[in-house]
Structures are given as structure tokens and as C-alpha cells.
Amino acid sequence: MNPIPYGRQHITDEDMAAVAKALTSPALTQGPTIGQFEEAFAQYIGSQYAVAVANGTAALHLCALALGVNETSKVITTPITFSASANCIRYCGGEVHFADIDPETLVLDPKAVRALLEKHPKGTFSGIIPVDFAGYPADMAAFRELADEFGLWLLEDSCHAPGASFTDEQGQNHRCGDGSLAELAIFSFHPVKHIACGEGGMITTNNEALYRHLLRLRTHGITNKPGDFSEPEPGEPERGGWYMELQELGYNYRLTDMQAALGLSQLKRADAMLDRRRAIAARYDAAFTGTAVRTIVPPDRVGHAYHLYVIQVPDRKGLYDYLRTKNIFAQVHYIPVHRMPYYRQFGWKLGDFPLAEDYYAHGLSIPMFPTLTDEEQAYVIREVLAFVNGKV
Ligand SMILES: *Cc1c(COP(=O)(O)O)cnc(C)c1O
């Protein structure tokens, strides 16, 4: 068997033609493909606005800036995420706090967040960054209630969840990042995610003021819209067509047109690829039922996007090492963020978030990507079961 990674991008002839076309267009960056990608992505997710940026981490950073995070801000997120979900707060000088996960879903537990909020005077915290870990939608309806009660904003890290959704208690369906519950949501187009741009990211929102601010922050903090200009000062040379203003300190976090063309082309296949991920997950679910392999099987009201297929086993390191000898390259998502030396310096220690730490001790992401063949998947299932059943 050829090596099987835990995730892999899929590039078609159509994708390559789209990139080639972008390369021969007059604009390699800030051209029309960016707006087309933003519009198509907003439509796919169901949000009013979308802002394309250089990568998912840049998306998080700009959101933190637009939400006003600074040295006085305290923000809550989950320990089970890629560290960028927390780092964006540090970029702006804010303090990162964590709350534990729900062991049944592996996403941030609103009850744990409530307990943390209630331990401190109102106004202590500024916002929450729930993460749709592995593609399982965070309980954004519960987080919205908390946010309204405690005066917080919500930034949903949906990097794992384009196309994921859940039905709330009123029977209303919400797509992750559709702007109905969180002020802002972000996505990544790193090749291992659902849609590949090479590097790339997107912010979605229904808030027009945040949208306009994000557009400016993405391009250095510069505006060239005459309606936004400051009043001319006496003695200043007359302004002309060249005139623009740096109004605040922003960044160059733009996406190129080649990357946007690739993303736009991939987006056309997003639903088909999501169906394939769900079919692979259903086959894993069935194969591991009644075995020592613990899986996350979502209820009917949850539309899981399966960026990752996560299992939990008694001897995780043993299984990881065994699978490597069989050319199966499973991965661990994630070492809890509070266990990283960078975050330990702020006083977080082993035992702070026992449920997240227990998941980390047993969790393994096994191959999950749309081009995984039935034969490859059968081989993965066979080898995982052979190991956990003690047959090897
Ligand atoms: C991938 C990822 C990011 C960062 O995205 P990049 O495009 O790699 O910068 C942030 N959060 C989560 C949960 C991710 O999986």
C-alpha cells in the first residue's frame, strides 16, 4: 500500500486551468478574482459579507483587531485547537483564557465557559472564540446566549467546518460562519483543509461596519474612498486622483488572484467533497461500533463537516507507531494549547483542563480526505482493528 496521510488536497485539471487563467490576467493581486471568490464563498456559507485574506491566522488576527482586542482584553477559547485560535489574542496583547471541552463532542463546552464567566465580575472578559473542532459545529446558540448575557463578542474559528451546520432548539438551521450567531467567523484554505488555495483564508460576517473595517485592515489600514477621507488641512496641496490615506495601522494580508482562482475552482466541488467525507465517516462509524475504538457520532441535528476523523483508543502511541509501520500516517490533533511552553509561561499547568487532557492522551486522527479510496479505507480499518484487538 502507498503511504496514506491523514489528509490530502485534491487538484483537478479544471483547478489548474483556473490558476493558469489568473496568471495571464492583468492583475495578479487585488484583481477581480478576489471579489468573485468572496461572493461565491459568502453565498456558500450563507453570510452577507466575506473578506479574503492571506491565511487563516491572518484572518484571526484581523478579526481580533476589528473586535478591539488590546492589552486589557481577556478572551476565552478551547485548549483543543490549533494554537493560532489563541495566538491572535496575544498578537494584540490580550490575555488568553481557556475552558474545558465537552467529551462527547470534543468542542468547547458552554457550561464550562459559563462557570468561568460566573467566577469573575461581569465585564472581566471581552469575547469567546469557539472552534468547530474536526468539523463538529460548536454550540453557537448556547454561546450567543452567554455572549448576550455577559456582553461578549463571538469569533467562530470555522477552519474545520465549511459546510457544517446544526439545527437549534427552535428548529432553525445554522451553517457555521453564516453570521446568524457569531459576529465574525474565519476559515483557512491551507491544503489540508476542505478547500485548498496553497495558503489562504476568509472572514465571514453579517456586520457591515466590521466588514468595512476588515477591508481596510487587510490593506495596511489605507483607504482610497473619498467619502472616508479626513478634512483637508489649511495649506495642504490640493488632493488629486492619487490621494489615499493611512488611517490606522493595518497589514498586508491580501490573497493573490492565483490563490483565489484555485479556491473558487475548488469551491465548485465543495458539496460533492463534503458528501464524500461524510460517506467515509459513516463507513468508519459502522466499522468501529462495538469495538474498543471510540468515535464521535453526531446526533441528527448536527451536520458534521469531517475535516478530521478522530478516534480515541486505550494505547494511542502504540497505535500511532504501529500504523506508521503499515504506511498509514495518522496524526494527533491537538496537543492542548495550554500545554505549549509558550502558554505555560502564563501559569497554565497539567491538570487545568482534565477533559481536554484526557482526550489528548487517547485521540488520533485517521485518514480522512475525499480521494481516500474504498480499498485504502478498508485497509486502514483492518489495521486499526488488528492493533486494538491485540492481533498484532
Ligand atoms: C488551520 C487552522 C488555523 C490557521 O489557518 P492557517 O491558514 O494555517 O493560518 C486556525 N485555526 C484552526 C482551528 C485551524 O485548523
Side-chain angles (χ1 to χ4, degrees):
M1 194 60 76
N2 288 326
I4 309 175
Y6 80 90
R8 171 190 279 160
Q9 76 272 22
H10 178 226
I11 304 291
T12 62
D13 290 346
E14 205 183 355
D15 290 340
M16 288 191 268
V19 175
K21 188 157 167 265
L23 271 168
T24 54
S25 81
L28 297 185
T29 188
Q30 289 178 286
T33 322
I34 302 295
Q36 288 162 16
F37 185 33
E38 289 172 336
E39 202 174 304
F41 194 81
Q43 198 168 10
Y44 179 66
I45 293 299
S47 67
Q48 271 175 275
Y49 306 104
V51 179
V53 293
N55 54 64
T57 306
L60 285 163
H61 186 189
L62 291 192
C63 287
L65 286 168
L67 291 164
V69 175
N70 61 29
E71 291 73 13
T72 69
S73 310
K74 293 180 170 63
V75 176
I76 303 165
T77 191
T78 170
I80 300 297
T81 185
F82 183 57
S83 36
S85 313
N87 295 351
C88 63
I89 299 309
R90 296 294 309 132
Y91 295 156
C92 302
E95 234 176 66
V96 180
H97 290 254
F98 302 96
D100 217 337
I101 60 167
D102 175 344
E104 300 303 318
T105 62
L106 309 179
V107 294
L108 184 64
D109 185 351
K111 293 191 293 297
V113 174
R114 172 175 288 281
L116 174 61
L117 291 167
E118 287 178 347
K119 261 203 311 209
H120 296 84
K122 253 193 187 174
T124 300
F125 294 95
S126 335
I128 312 173
I129 307 182
V131 179
D132 305 316
F133 173 66
Y136 195 110
D139 188 352
M140 295 306 291
F143 287 120
R144 185 72 260 164
E145 268 180 41
L146 282 179
D148 291 344
E149 188 178 335
F150 288 88
L152 313 169
W153 47 254
L154 298 177
L155 164 54
E156 185 175 5
D157 183 337
S158 297
C159 284
H160 297 185
S165 65
F166 72 96
T167 305
D168 67 19
E169 277 167 17
Q170 285 73 45
Q172 203 186 335
N173 194 260
H174 301 269
R175 234 176 201 208
C176 292
D178 68 3
S180 62
L181 294 166
E183 278 78 0
L184 296 167
I186 70 105
F187 297 85
S188 163
F189 307 125
H190 181 279
V192 89
K193 311 284 164 78
H194 288 61
I195 293 164
C197 287
E199 298 283 356
M202 193 75 82
I203 305 164
T204 57
T205 185
N206 286 353
N207 181 313
E208 191 185 349
L210 285 172
Y211 168 65
R212 302 222 164 276
H213 193 184
L214 289 164
L215 287 179
R216 192 169 70 206
L217 286 169
R218 172 179 70 180
T219 295
H220 306 280
I222 287 174
T223 183
N224 51 18
K225 292 190 192 67
D228 296 340
F229 291 165
S230 62
E231 283 302 308
E233 284 184 356
E236 172 186 318
E238 196 183 348
R239 296 172 180 180
W242 66 84
Y243 190 77
M244 52 80 172
E245 284 186 349
L246 175 72
Q247 294 190 326
E248 66 184 318
L249 195 61
Y251 295 82
N252 177 355
Y253 278 167
R254 294 186 299 259
L255 193 70
T256 68
D257 280 52
M258 294 83 79
Q259 291 165 316
L262 181 54
L264 192 55
S265 179
Q266 295 237 320
L267 186 58
K268 294 191 185 126
R269 300 200 301 283
D271 279 329
M273 299 291 107
L274 185 54
D275 287 347
R276 176 68 190 141
R277 285 178 186 272
R278 286 174 173 164
I280 292 169
R283 206 157 158 226
Y284 277 140
D285 289 349
F288 297 137
T289 303
T291 73
V293 178
R294 200 174 144 205
T295 59
I296 303 295
V297 180
D300 286 345
R301 60 178 187 79
V302 167
H304 199 308
Y306 293 107
H307 162 55
L308 303 172
Y309 190 88
V310 171
I311 61 173
Q312 292 170 79
V313 292
D315 180 9
R316 188 268 312 277
K317 180 168 186 306
L319 178 59
Y320 173 90
D321 290 340
Y322 173 72
L323 292 178
R324 286 181 77 93
T325 69
K326 297 290 169 184
N327 251 352
I328 298 167
F329 293 87
Q331 186 53 280
V332 174
H333 300 95
Y334 292 94
I335 301 164
V337 181
H338 72 284
R339 298 291 304 131
M340 293 293 175
Y342 175 75
Y343 283 99
R344 276 193 252 154
Q345 72 173 308
F346 301 107
W348 304 107
K349 54 189 190 311
L350 197 60
D352 280 347
F353 305 101
L355 299 171
E357 290 167 20
D358 181 68
Y359 158 69
Y360 166 61
H362 301 286
L364 193 64
S365 308
I366 59 174
M368 166 54 82
F369 50 92
T371 54
L372 182 71
T373 66
D374 289 350
E375 189 197 359
E376 286 171 327
Q377 190 184 7
Y379 172 72
V380 172
I381 291 169
R382 208 159 54 234
E383 293 301 343
V384 169
L385 289 179
F387 183 84
V388 299
N389 292 334
K391 302 252 166 61
V392 288

